[in-house]
Amino acid sequence: MEKGGREKIEDATMESMPLLSPYDMTIFHLSHRVVLAPLSRLRSYNFIPQPHAILYYSQRTSKGGLLISEASGISDTAQGLPNTPGIWKKEHVEAWKPIVDGVHKNGGIFFCQLWHSGRVSNTSYQPDGRSPISSTDKPISTNLFIGGGSGGENAQYSPPHRLTTDEISQVINDFRAAARNAIEAGFDGVEIHGANGYLIDQFMKDQVNDRTDIYGGSLENRCRFPLEVVQAVSDEIGSERVGMRLSPFADYNDCGDSDPHSLGVFMAESLSRLGIAYCHVIEPRMVTQFEKGETRNTLASMRKAFAGTFIVAGGYHDRDEADRVVENGGADLVAFGRAFLANPDLPRRLRLKARLNKYDRSTFYTDDPVIGYTDYPFLDD
Ligand SMILES: Cc1cc2nc3c(=O)[nH]c(=O)nc-3n(C[C@H](O)[C@H](O)[C@H](O)COP(=O)(O)O)c2cc1C
């Protein structure tokens, strides 16, 4: 069928922009490189994905666009925030299905972010009020705070239980089962959440991991659990459907490393050997989850060490900068968090150099099924 005038003009602009050019990632044909970053929205009541997420994700879907879901708990010990979705039970799988369907109907490719919060939790989230689990028994030094429209809430992190070697195998199995569930729900693949100070990061980073067994000490030992998870998940669903998110340079959730450069390169090389689809890394300039700072650190050596698709995230709010990082070979794809949250039609707006809606931080983490969730306007509204 002959294309309409608007589409023709948009196609012409697209060809000249690296960020909006097509890209093949393993078995997936992406029509552009603008990725929806994983964004927890705390609207999955009682850990069950809700029907309002059908509209939210399908709004953010473009034909051939890659979406990464919000962090989804892999087991009943994984949660550390209210109303985050699970992917460990049949009920979760069934609840995810229509959401994934909505994305597929609009031509999107949808990966599920598999998450375990580790010690970034407290006993109220844990079965039978038990202690959260971690690589360590040292508690987090800061307080849990969730800023929301209603003023947010404060809670204490609980001292964690240090996983035994046997218990670690069980957690690896939980990741494997959750990946299987994600595929059953219809997701195209999974992203293993190894960033931002959660369980996997708590093993990698030497300021948290104080173990003396094969999962602690040397860099190789600290990366053993993360890589065993990746291996198990790849064996279960195929490495071409697996991605991993990392933030070696960040110290969010009291989880930093004394040598982030070596950690990042070691993980990138190891993931490369495992042949996974992508490595998704937070830019070192993100000094907190939301604030940019000045830094001389770059992801260049990680990029070089990883043979698959390299995704960068953090602070990409304008089109030119994202376009440049792709053009310069710094990344294959760029994930947008807050800009995509507030602009459901972000790829189209970037293509047209249209103005972007501003995000409203006060509604990031409320439980409203519409406000600040599915009511951000489209360009044509
Ligand atoms: C509301 C909100 C929720 C987030 N939830 C997640 C999450 O579930 N998993 C994750 O890996 N990162 C999460 N992040 C971090 C984002 O994916 C992203 O890395 C961060 O917002 C920086 O990118 P930006 O500058 O494009 O927003 C979240 C960020 C925001 C703003």
Side-chain angles (χ1 to χ4, degrees), residues 311-326:
I311 311 181
V312 292
Y316 289 96
H317 296 160
D318 87 70
R319 182 184 109 134
D320 292 342
E321 200 197 3
D323 208 33
R324 256 196 321 273
V325 74
V326 175

Side-chain angles (χ1 to χ4, degrees), residues 37-40 71 113 193 196 245 289-290 314-315 317 337-338 365:
L39 295 166
S40 295
Q113 191 184 51
H193 195 344
N196 302 353
R245 193 172 219 214
Q289 282 235 48
F290 305 133
H317 296 160
R338 288 161 293 177
Y365 299 121

Side-chain angles (χ1 to χ4, degrees), residues 36-41 69-72 81 84 113 115 191 193 195-196 198 245 252 280 282 285-286 288-290 292 313-317 335-341 359 364-365:
L36 173 68
L39 295 166
S40 295
R41 305 305 315 276
S69 82
E70 61 208 277
S72 305
L81 288 168
T84 41
Q113 191 184 51
W115 175 58
E191 172 174 290
H193 195 344
N196 302 353
Y198 296 113
R245 193 172 219 214
Y252 321 148
H280 177 184
I282 310 284
R285 65 187 177 189
M286 299 306 287
T288 71
Q289 282 235 48
F290 305 133
K292 275 199 228 182
Y316 289 96
H317 296 160
F336 293 80
R338 288 161 293 177
F340 224 144
L341 184 156
Y359 58 80
F364 280 178
Y365 299 121

